[in-house]
Amino acid sequence: MLRDIPSYANRVTQRARLRSRDRSLDVYGYFIVAGQAEFAPLNLGPGEYTPATSQGESDIQQVFFTTLQRRYSTTKAIQIQDYHWLFLTKTKSGWRLAIMFSMTGPYPAGRPPTAPRDSNYGVIGQAIEIWLRDCYAGVVRSDLGDRTSVL
């Protein structure tokens, strides 16, 4: 999935730009690359919620990854790194996006990133939903048997 996310995200942004009637918003960007996935769950500290399941394993998969994008204005180009905390859930019909949080920061890092925000309906969240739909429709080739082949 991560190798395809930049192209899917670029399609989401281009469709949004084409639908927009307000051409005064002349700042747009392109997603260049998505980083390697990290699967280690975030340690929430004391009082951490650990759900019990009948199989002893959770049907929720946490994934951390980054994306790099280049945004263009009429005068310059800047690079931005986004940090994503994705939760996928395994259902009878396959993997689904449960929730996603993202933070945005400059690239290379200089200032701290923004506070985490719900990004289910953001560009990357929409790109993931479309990719999963295409994957189960057979448009995208992937062995969905284990978590690493999805990502």
Side-chain angles (χ1 to χ4, degrees), residues 13-58:
T13 58
Q14 291 304 313
R15 287 180 190 135
R17 284 189 73 217
L18 291 173
R19 283 192 301 255
S20 173
R21 301 213 185 273
D22 184 6
R23 296 291 179 202
S24 67
L25 301 173
D26 206 15
V27 176
Y28 56 95
Y30 294 98
F31 287 86
I32 300 168
V33 68
Q36 290 289 87
E38 294 181 29
F39 298 99
L42 184 65
N43 181 356
L44 301 175
E48 176 179 349
Y49 174 69
T50 53
T53 61
S54 58
Q55 295 89 13
E57 293 183 14
S58 174

Side-chain angles (χ1 to χ4, degrees), residues 110-127:
R111 298 183 324 259
T114 62
R117 68 187 180 286
D118 180 343
S119 54
N120 281 21
Y121 302 107
V123 172
I124 299 296
Q126 290 179 43

Side-chain angles (χ1 to χ4, degrees), residues 24 31 41 45-46 56-58 65 73 76-77 91 103-108 110 116 140 142 144 150:
S24 67
F31 287 86
E57 293 183 14
S58 174
F65 66 97
S73 70
K76 65 180 178 175
T91 67
M103 300 183 312
T104 300
Y107 182 86
V140 176
S142 178
L144 295 176
V150 173

